[in-house]
Amino acid sequence: MTDAPAVPAPVDRTTQPWWRSAVFYQIYPRSFADSSGDGIGDLPGVRDKLGYLELLGVDALWVCPVMRSPMADGGYDVADPRDIDQLFGGLAAMDELIAAAHSRRIKVTMDLVPNHTSDQHPWFRAALAAAAGSPERERYIFRDGRGLDGAEPPNNWPSIFGGPAWTRVTEPDGTPGQWYLHIFAREQPDLNWDNDDVAADFEQTMRFWLDRGVDGFRLDVAHGMAKPDGLPDLPDLPEVASALLAHDDDDVRFNNPAVHEIHRRIRKLVDEYPDAVTIGEVWVNDNTRFGEYVRADELHLAFNFRLAEARFSAEDVRDAIDNSLAAVGPVFASPTWTLSNHDIEREVTRYGGGAVGVARARAMILLELALPGAVFIYNGAELGLPDVDDLPDQVLQDPVWERSGHTERGRDGCRVPVPWEGTAPPFGFTTGSSWLPIPPDWAGLTVEAQLEELGSTLSLYRMAIELRALRPDFGGDRIEWYGSPPGCLAFRRPGGLVCVLNASAAPIPLPPGDVLLASAPPEGGRLPPNAAAWLV
Ligand code: NOJ
């Protein structure tokens, strides 16, 4: 790897909001660091690792849900959105994390879940105890069933996690009763956003956290809150009902145009906190429809998953970049880039696993950090962690495993805890026994093993993030494509940075310029396959 040249003065970012080009680090709290010894990561654990995150150079954290939850879906089933679960250290631990992160100039964004609550939320319990047609039921989506005695679900919608999206309740008098909608697990009843209580309560939740100092929110299923009138059947059932990522723009469960009014209302409130950001989880393919979510009066940012969906091929990657830029360009929004998160296979595994998977993942983080916009890094990606695909059946916790009738193993493989130090599991993650077993062969992947190793993936991330923050070569919010050999791509930022990706099978000559950083050392001026380089 080529040593970085002397670093010039920091880039002036004062002219644009911090989040437009921020590096966000996603913390999946259960798997990040455990301070209590119960085997499950928690917020004091995160606070203890802030020095590491500062060293890594990230601008902001996205903390996955830590609110009160029975954990039927890893915290995405929220029983009280304005309290922190004791599992994660309670409310005081969140306050401490916010303060400690801010003292290191790291922003903190929280994950809010507007589409549904837990079935243990007081509202849902009240709805079950109340009668059909009651105001309590109006906050959710209760319907009478179809068929004889209402024994069939109100429509044919499947749950994203497998099985039907409806569950029939037993009425307080003991008779079989109405059905409620849950696009995800049955423990996650969908809220009715046509009901005023729902929007008002969500506003209260946002204020509660913003007033405590959080810097914004990642909004879960941000394309799902509005449901179509009459809840029509899906004309074509998705081939794999339980595939989390199989998304079709015409799927009436999502992307209802009425959702934009909800985002406008959210934005209006968040604008009272000038530096705060909203980031929507938006699964939409069509560029125009995607762009609608990030119009000036809606979300600040929306996750674009095209890069995470692209194969490691120059054509696919280029296509993903072009589409991501085309989606946000017309509305002057900032693009976002992500290679993995807690719902999808880690990039090392997706790109083929083993040494090739790691080499490609290293190349792709350089490509990603060379692009204009905000970058999201999933905890552990900076260590080059792969998915663990041989977790024993009995430890699996993702509701997908049960709901799919054990046909889909779900997302636990990408949620295995982060290895920090030492030579044997649980690698300093906990003093107890980690909630998912960590493979013994991760000894070489720990933070400790990589921190001072110049050629490690962790060092590559650190150098890349630092250069991106400091060098003026990364200026400008456009890219220009460069000519490149078949199977490769190259682009240039207006500030002068050139990024080259070699996705072909042969070494390629590099364009003129000095190599600022490379994911694998160039030899004789040639970049090896499965590698990327930055030139200035
Ligand atoms: C998307 C989240 O990222 C995922 O983990 C969760 O299961 C669903 N939304 C439901 O909340």
Side-chain angles (χ1 to χ4, degrees):
M1 199 163 313
T2 312
D3 281 349
V7 174
V11 177
D12 177 10
R13 291 216 195 148
T14 51
T15 49
Q16 58 167 340
W18 66 270
W19 41 263
R20 278 191 77 96
S21 58
V23 175
F24 286 85
Y25 186 85
Q26 179 193 354
I27 292 194
Y28 192 67
R30 290 199 289 172
S31 302
F32 190 66
D34 172 29
S35 73
S36 69
D38 65 358
I40 300 168
D42 49 40
L43 294 178
V46 179
R47 192 198 51 209
D48 291 348
K49 300 295 184 193
L50 283 171
Y52 168 73
L53 297 169
E54 190 177 11
L55 214 69
L56 185 58
V58 300
D59 299 300
L61 308 182
W62 150 27
V63 182
C64 283
V66 283
M67 288 79 76
R68 274 235 318 269
S69 165
M71 302 295 282
D73 182 25
Y76 284 94
D77 49 319
V78 178
D80 181 349
R82 297 185 284 278
D83 196 5
I84 300 290
D85 205 292
Q86 286 308 321
L87 188 68
F88 298 117
L91 195 52
M94 189 70 206
D95 289 339
E96 284 164 23
L97 174 63
I98 295 168
H102 285 172
S103 74
R104 293 178 189 266
R105 290 191 297 167
I106 297 175
K107 310 253 186 202
V108 180
T109 65
M110 290 181 78
D111 207 326
L112 297 185
V113 188
N115 182 68
H116 45 266
T117 69
S118 160
D119 62 347
Q120 299 305 312
H121 189 292
W123 275 6
F124 192 70
R125 296 166 75 109
L128 290 184
S134 61
E136 287 84 353
R137 288 214 174 168
E138 272 305 299
R139 295 174 180 140
Y140 293 91
I141 302 178
F142 279 85
R143 293 288 183 277
D144 293 334
R146 295 200 280 206
L148 203 60
D149 300 329
E152 298 296 321
N155 71 19
N156 69 353
W157 293 4
S159 145
I160 296 291
F161 291 161
W166 295 93
T167 290
R168 192 171 198 187
V169 302
T170 303
E171 298 297 348
D173 65 6
T175 56
Q178 288 195 296
W179 298 71
Y180 69 89
L181 178 70
H182 53 87
I183 299 280
F184 295 92
R186 66 190 303 159
E187 296 88 351
Q188 294 166 295
D190 278 53
L191 286 161
N192 171 18
W193 271 84
D194 288 332
N195 182 279
D196 287 342
D197 288 355
V198 171
D201 189 73
F202 194 69
E203 291 185 355
Q204 204 185 329
T205 297
M206 289 192 292
R207 278 191 201 286
F208 179 85
W209 296 115
L210 290 165
D211 289 341
R212 293 188 104 83
V214 306
D215 302 288
F217 306 113
R218 180 260 191 193
L219 298 178
D220 189 61
V221 205
H223 61 318
M225 290 100 89
K227 306 296 188 289
D229 287 343
L231 305 178
D233 275 344
L234 276 169
D236 301 305
L237 285 178
E239 268 173 40
V240 191
S242 62
L244 189 72
L245 308 187
H247 57 289
D248 167 358
D249 286 358
D250 296 324
D251 183 330
V252 294
R253 293 173 298 175
F254 300 103
N255 279 316
N256 191 280
V259 81
H260 295 290
E261 206 37 60
I262 298 174
H263 286 302
R264 284 193 195 100
R265 197 164 162 179
I266 290 174
R267 177 64 180 260
K268 213 160 165 228
L269 184 148
V270 174
D271 275 347
E272 292 177 33
Y273 300 78
D275 243 6
V277 63
T278 52
I279 311 145
E281 185 202 22
V282 173
W283 292 93
V284 181
N285 292 311
D286 180 75
N287 289 339
T288 306
R289 292 182 72 181
F290 184 92
E292 286 168 0
Y293 283 85
V294 280
R295 287 178 286 204
D297 59 349
E298 298 197 34
L299 292 159
H300 299 82
L301 297 172
F303 282 101
N304 192 312
F305 297 105
R306 287 185 183 270
L307 213 48
E309 292 172 316
R311 288 175 311 144
F312 187 79
S313 94
E315 199 187 328
D316 280 23
V317 170
R318 184 177 168 140
D319 204 47
I321 295 172
D322 277 340
N323 277 298
S324 303
L325 294 174
V328 296
V331 290
F332 305 103
S334 199
T336 66
W337 311 101
T338 186
L339 293 173
S340 52
N341 64 32
H342 64 295
D343 291 331
I344 57 187
E345 201 170 41
R346 286 187 176 277
E347 54 269 45
V348 166
T349 304
R350 212 170 55 237
Y351 297 144
V356 169
V358 172
R360 290 176 172 176
R362 288 168 58 98
M364 287 299 289
I365 187 64
L366 284 203
L367 174 121
E368 199 178 42
L369 288 166
L371 290 164
V375 172
F376 290 81
I377 295 169
Y378 175 43
N379 61 201
E382 78 278 19
L383 304 175
L385 299 185
D387 261 37
V388 179
D389 46 24
D390 59 356
L391 287 169
D393 291 359
Q394 66 274 15
V395 303
L396 295 181
Q397 295 201 12
D398 187 346
V400 169
W401 173 238
E402 287 302 327
R403 289 196 62 86
S404 68
H406 298 180
T407 57
E408 307 236 354
R409 298 183 66 75
R411 301 158 290 175
D412 290 319
C414 68
R415 297 174 175 178
V416 170
V418 169
W420 290 95
E421 60 191 25
T423 53
F427 297 115
F429 164 73
T430 177
T431 53
S433 155
S434 60
W435 70 280
L436 288 174
I438 310 179
D441 66 3
W442 280 13
L445 297 177
T446 64
V447 170
E448 184 182 44
Q450 298 197 40
L451 199 57
E452 287 174 23
E453 183 60 53
L454 197 61
S456 70
T457 299
L458 177 55
S459 293
L460 180 74
Y461 267 73
R462 284 178 68 189
M463 287 187 275
I465 293 171
E466 182 166 317
L467 291 169
R468 181 183 186 272
L470 295 176
R471 301 264 325 189
D473 319 77
F474 292 78
D477 53 12
R478 288 177 296 113
I479 62 166
E480 288 159 16
W481 292 108
Y482 242 54
S484 55
C488 301
L489 63 80
F491 60 85
R492 185 180 179 284
R493 294 285 294 276
L497 178 84
V498 174
C499 178
V500 182
L501 176 75
N502 183 1
S504 78
I508 54 160
L510 285 166
D514 295 329
V515 175
L516 189 60
L517 191 60
S519 67
E523 278 169 29
R526 297 169 86 80
L527 184 67
N530 302 319
W534 288 351
L535 295 102
V536 287

